[in-house]
Amino acid sequence: MQNKLNLAVVGATGLVGRTMLKVLEERNFPFTDLKLLASARSAGQNIECFNQQYTVLELDENSFEDVDIALFSAGGSTSRKYAPIAAKAGCIVIDNSSAWRMDDNVPLVVPEVNPEDIWLHKGIIANPNCSTIQLMPVLNLLHKKYTLKRVVCSTYQSISGAGQAGVDKLLGELEGNKYDTKHQIAFNTMFHAISDANKDYTEEELKMVNETRKILHLESLPVSFTCVRLPILGGHAESVNIEFDNPIDIAEIKQLLAGGDGIEVVDDLEHEIYPTPQSVNGKDEIFVGRIRRDYSALNAINLWVVADNVRKGAATNAVQIAQEIISAWNAATE
Ligand code: A2P
């Protein structure tokens, strides 16, 4: 057992940061000292967790002295600036922003899929995008059995992916407030921001392409995504069409997914039983339903993948990475 473990949460006052604290608490995460960091705006605020009051400290360049693991969820620019400072101070950063995900020196990890990549880190480990995370364990299991040929996916994403500001905007619109944005989200659907790399796609869609290939180590896998934002507060759903190189068996696929680490199959259309963003709220697992053959192509299926984007899609995945690190440290010191 490691005799000291100092932990920090950067962005502890945010939607994901607060959920990280909740998940750490639920999992009895072992630590010696816990530091809650945020911007000057919320420094001095008290947050209760682990049956104790913690005072939020302002993030600065000296915040990481003596910190062993830091969970970051404070946006890309904060991560770009402070993750290297933390890594230089000897801390392992698990970063929920998109800042470092595609950096060749930074592993991008979903613990059910590529836990071994954690150990390629040079101080920073990236947590994938929320919609990418929930799809990976499903694709990985199916790939191992039948070999992925092509994946086409449309997402149905809640506004909590845009952080507290997105949630506040939707709630405000529902109360009749107007904001200076091109599209309102209440009673509507809309897309994420355009990508700089390809102006026909949104940033979110290209994140899903690049991150999927990196996590699965399938650099040229044919994949195509359309990412849609819905006026719901929490939970992301995905309609996924998958073609395989090898013959498939639907009963076998259901069994395979039901036995998958972190996956639950909820699939009984006859009785209207399938996962929804509401039914998965507050859960850590990835839920799969509507598993059916796609008769329009050879060896193809359709399925519906749903998860709580703030938990498995962000906070839980980051905490799971930290748990993997601690298990390995403990095993090494036993
Ligand atoms: P703060 O509460 O002080 O603004 P969300 O994604 O829900 O919007 O949360 C963003 C989180 O990132 C919050 O905890 C926020 O802190 C934190 N944050 C944003 N900008 C900075 C910054 N420049 N330095 C430190 N923390 C930041």
Side-chain angles (χ1 to χ4, degrees), residues 10-18 37-43 45 56 59 73-75 77-78 82 162-165:
V10 181
T13 53
L15 198 58
V16 172
R18 280 182 279 129
L37 299 159
S39 78
R41 287 181 293 275
S42 41
Q45 190 180 312
V56 176
L59 174 66
S73 192
S77 55
T78 303
Y82 288 98
Q164 192 61 49

Coordinates of all heavy atoms in Angstrom, one line a residue, residues 10-18 37-43 45 56 59 73-75 77-78 82 162-165, ligand 1:
V10 N -9.1 19.9 -10.2 CA -9.1 21.2 -10.8 C -10.4 21.5 -11.5 O -10.7 20.7 -12.4 CB -7.9 21.3 -11.8 CG1 -7.8 22.8 -12.4 CG2 -6.6 21.0 -11.1
G11 N -11.1 22.5 -11.1 CA -12.5 22.8 -11.7 C -13.5 22.1 -10.7 O -14.5 21.7 -11.2
A12 N -13.1 22.1 -9.5 CA -14.0 21.4 -8.5 C -15.4 22.0 -8.3 O -16.3 21.3 -7.8 CB -13.2 21.4 -7.1
T13 N -15.5 23.2 -8.7 CA -16.9 23.9 -8.6 C -17.8 23.6 -9.8 O -18.9 24.0 -9.7 CB -16.7 25.4 -8.4 OG1 -15.9 25.9 -9.5 CG2 -16.0 25.7 -7.1
G14 N -17.2 23.0 -10.8 CA -18.0 22.9 -12.1 C -18.8 21.6 -12.0 O -18.8 20.8 -11.1
L15 N -19.6 21.4 -13.1 CA -20.5 20.3 -13.2 C -19.8 19.0 -13.1 O -20.1 18.1 -12.3 CB -21.3 20.4 -14.5 CG -22.6 19.7 -14.7 CD1 -23.6 20.1 -13.6 CD2 -23.1 20.0 -16.1
V16 N -18.7 18.8 -13.9 CA -18.0 17.6 -13.9 C -17.1 17.5 -12.6 O -17.1 16.4 -12.0 CB -17.1 17.5 -15.2 CG1 -16.2 16.3 -15.1 CG2 -18.0 17.4 -16.4
G17 N -16.5 18.6 -12.2 CA -15.7 18.6 -11.0 C -16.5 18.1 -9.8 O -16.0 17.3 -9.0
R18 N -17.7 18.7 -9.6 CA -18.5 18.3 -8.5 C -18.9 16.8 -8.6 O -18.9 16.1 -7.6 CB -19.8 19.1 -8.4 CG -19.5 20.5 -7.8 CD -20.7 21.4 -7.6 NE -21.0 22.0 -8.9 CZ -22.2 22.0 -9.5 NH1 -23.2 21.4 -9.0 NH2 -22.4 22.6 -10.7
L37 N -9.5 22.9 -6.4 CA -9.0 24.1 -7.1 C -10.0 24.6 -8.1 O -10.7 23.8 -8.8 CB -7.6 23.8 -7.8 CG -6.5 23.3 -6.9 CD1 -5.5 22.5 -7.7 CD2 -5.9 24.5 -6.2
A38 N -10.0 25.9 -8.3 CA -10.9 26.6 -9.3 C -10.3 27.9 -9.6 O -9.2 28.2 -9.2 CB -12.4 26.6 -8.8
S39 N -11.1 28.8 -10.2 CA -10.6 30.1 -10.6 C -10.7 31.0 -9.3 O -11.4 30.7 -8.3 CB -11.4 30.7 -11.7 OG -12.6 31.2 -11.3
A40 N -10.2 32.3 -9.5 CA -10.3 33.2 -8.4 C -11.8 33.5 -8.0 O -12.1 33.9 -6.9 CB -9.6 34.5 -8.8
R41 N -12.6 33.3 -9.0 CA -14.1 33.6 -8.8 C -14.6 32.8 -7.7 O -15.5 33.3 -6.9 CB -14.9 33.2 -10.1 CG -14.8 34.2 -11.2 CD -15.6 33.7 -12.4 NE -15.2 32.4 -13.0 CZ -14.3 32.3 -13.9 NH1 -13.7 33.4 -14.4 NH2 -13.9 31.1 -14.4
S42 N -14.2 31.6 -7.5 CA -14.8 30.8 -6.4 C -13.9 30.4 -5.3 O -14.2 29.6 -4.4 CB -15.5 29.5 -7.0 OG -14.7 29.0 -8.0
A43 N -12.7 31.0 -5.3 CA -11.7 30.7 -4.2 C -12.4 31.2 -2.9 O -13.0 32.2 -2.9 CB -10.4 31.5 -4.5
Q45 N -14.8 29.6 -1.4 CA -16.1 28.9 -1.3 C -15.8 27.6 -0.6 O -14.8 27.0 -0.7 CB -16.6 28.7 -2.7 CG -17.9 28.2 -2.9 CD -18.3 28.0 -4.4 OE1 -18.0 28.9 -5.2 NE2 -18.8 26.8 -4.7
V56 N -12.3 26.0 -1.4 CA -11.7 26.0 -2.7 C -10.6 27.0 -2.8 O -10.7 28.1 -2.3 CB -12.9 26.4 -3.7 CG1 -12.3 26.6 -5.1 CG2 -14.0 25.4 -3.7
L59 N -6.4 28.2 -8.4 CA -5.4 27.5 -9.1 C -4.3 28.5 -9.5 O -4.5 29.6 -10.0 CB -6.0 27.0 -10.4 CG -5.1 26.3 -11.4 CD1 -4.5 25.0 -10.9 CD2 -5.9 26.0 -12.7
S73 N -10.9 19.3 -14.8 CA -12.0 19.5 -15.6 C -12.4 21.0 -15.5 O -13.4 21.4 -14.9 CB -13.2 18.7 -15.2 OG -14.2 18.8 -16.3
A74 N -11.5 21.8 -16.1 CA -11.7 23.3 -16.0 C -11.5 23.9 -17.4 O -11.2 25.1 -17.5 CB -10.6 23.8 -15.0
G75 N -11.8 23.1 -18.4 CA -11.7 23.7 -19.8 C -10.3 23.6 -20.4 O -9.3 23.4 -19.7
S77 N -8.3 25.7 -22.1 CA -7.2 26.7 -21.9 C -6.5 26.5 -20.6 O -5.3 26.6 -20.5 CB -7.6 28.1 -22.2 OG -8.7 28.4 -21.3
T78 N -7.3 26.2 -19.5 CA -6.7 25.9 -18.2 C -5.8 24.7 -18.3 O -4.7 24.6 -17.8 CB -7.8 25.7 -17.2 OG1 -8.7 26.8 -17.2 CG2 -7.3 25.5 -15.8
Y82 N -2.0 24.6 -17.4 CA -1.6 24.1 -16.1 C -1.2 22.6 -16.1 O -0.5 22.1 -15.2 CB -2.7 24.3 -15.0 CG -2.7 25.8 -14.6 CD1 -3.6 26.7 -15.2 CD2 -1.8 26.3 -13.7 CE1 -3.6 28.0 -14.8 CE2 -1.8 27.6 -13.4 CZ -2.7 28.5 -13.9 OH -2.7 29.8 -13.6
A162 N -22.2 20.7 -22.2 CA -21.7 22.1 -22.4 C -21.4 22.7 -21.0 O -21.3 23.9 -20.9 CB -22.7 22.9 -23.2
G163 N -21.4 21.9 -20.0 CA -21.1 22.4 -18.6 C -22.3 23.2 -18.0 O -23.4 23.2 -18.6
Q164 N -22.0 23.8 -16.9 CA -23.1 24.5 -16.1 C -23.7 25.6 -16.9 O -24.9 25.8 -16.9 CB -22.4 25.0 -14.8 CG -23.5 25.5 -13.8 CD -24.4 24.4 -13.4 OE1 -24.0 23.3 -13.0 NE2 -25.7 24.6 -13.4
A165 N -22.8 26.2 -17.8 CA -23.3 27.4 -18.6 C -24.4 26.9 -19.5 O -25.5 27.5 -19.7 CB -22.2 28.0 -19.3
Ligands
A2P1 P1 -15.0 28.7 -11.3 O1 -16.2 28.1 -10.6 O2 -14.1 29.4 -10.4 O3 -15.4 29.5 -12.5 P2 -18.2 24.0 -15.9 O4 -17.7 23.1 -17.0 O5 -19.4 23.4 -15.2 O6 -18.5 25.3 -16.5 O7 -17.0 24.2 -14.8 C1 -15.8 24.7 -15.2 C2 -14.9 24.6 -14.0 O8 -13.6 25.1 -14.4 C3 -15.3 25.5 -12.8 O9 -14.9 24.8 -11.6 C4 -14.5 26.7 -13.0 O10 -14.2 27.4 -11.8 C5 -13.2 26.1 -13.5 N1 -12.4 27.1 -14.2 C6 -12.7 27.8 -15.3 N2 -11.7 28.6 -15.7 C7 -10.7 28.5 -14.8 C8 -9.4 29.0 -14.6 N3 -9.0 29.9 -15.5 N4 -8.7 28.6 -13.6 C9 -9.2 27.6 -12.7 N5 -10.4 27.1 -12.8 C10 -11.2 27.5 -13.9

